Amino acid sequence: MAEVQRRPGGRPLPQSARGPPPPPAAKPRPRFEPVDREKTCPLLLRVFTKVGDHHIDGEFAVRGKEPKDEVQIYTWMDATLRELTDLVKEVAPEARRRDAILSFAFVYPDKRGRFVVREVGRTFSYPNGRRPDSGSKSLSELSFQIGDYLDVAILLQ
């Protein structure tokens, strides 16, 4: 049986004074494994952009009558919001402005079949260390499902 070390007054010593610290935990594995982009087929991501705010859920209600400002991007589940920001900047001049913030939202049907627009992150058009954003998060980390749409609101300040 292990013996508890005691202070001179009879009280037990705190856990940290009872011996060496426990061994460091093993380095945690990343939650999502990166995709081998040479061997994995990309998915088609339908991206809808709008200046000022996100599209409303009703604009996606009828299949084939989605908003007209669509960009189709072939990408992988490990694509980050920063990668997607750079691709949106290639096609949307407003996204290239220094003061632009890109707000990303997933658009998907809920259990009743109604579309939901759920914001999942924001990036700055030109990031820096003083303004942290969600640019390092990947689609898989944000629980993107194949078949969902991506709605990008370009916010200008």
Side-chain angles (χ1 to χ4, degrees), residues 1-138:
M1 186 150 101
E3 184 177 314
V4 176
Q5 296 177 345
R6 297 193 175 270
R7 290 186 178 147
R11 294 189 326 225
L13 290 170
Q15 181 69 27
S16 61
R18 292 184 186 166
K27 184 177 177 183
R29 291 182 45 193
R31 215 172 116 190
F32 297 97
E33 297 293 324
V35 174
D36 182 350
R37 293 183 178 193
E38 292 292 320
K39 295 180 181 177
T40 305
C41 183
L43 60 99
L44 176 63
L45 182 62
R46 295 181 68 187
V47 181
F48 298 89
T49 60
K50 183 177 176 184
V51 176
D53 201 6
H54 287 285
H55 291 92
I56 59 172
D57 50 4
E59 293 180 81
F60 297 95
V62 179
R63 184 101 173 145
K65 296 195 180 206
E66 293 89 358
K68 300 295 180 209
D69 46 12
E70 178 179 2
V71 178
Q72 295 183 350
I73 298 173
Y74 285 97
T75 190
W76 293 266
M77 289 295 284
D78 67 343
T80 63
L81 294 185
R82 173 61 42 210
E83 288 178 76
L84 297 172
T85 296
D86 293 340
L87 292 171
V88 169
K89 285 168 57 175
E90 289 180 19
V91 297
E94 302 87 0
R96 293 191 284 263
R97 289 185 37 176
R98 284 242 168 247
D99 60 347
I101 298 172
L102 282 72
S103 175
F104 292 86
F106 293 156
V107 181
Y108 56 91
D110 64 7
K111 293 178 181 177
R112 294 172 294 196
R114 293 189 193 125
F115 276 87
V116 176
V117 178
R118 178 176 60 95
E119 186 177 344
V120 294
R122 289 182 174 212
T123 62
F124 294 99
S125 184
Y126 295 93
N128 65 39
R130 292 178 284 147
R131 299 188 310 178
D133 64 14
S134 308
S136 63
K137 293 188 179 181
S138 69

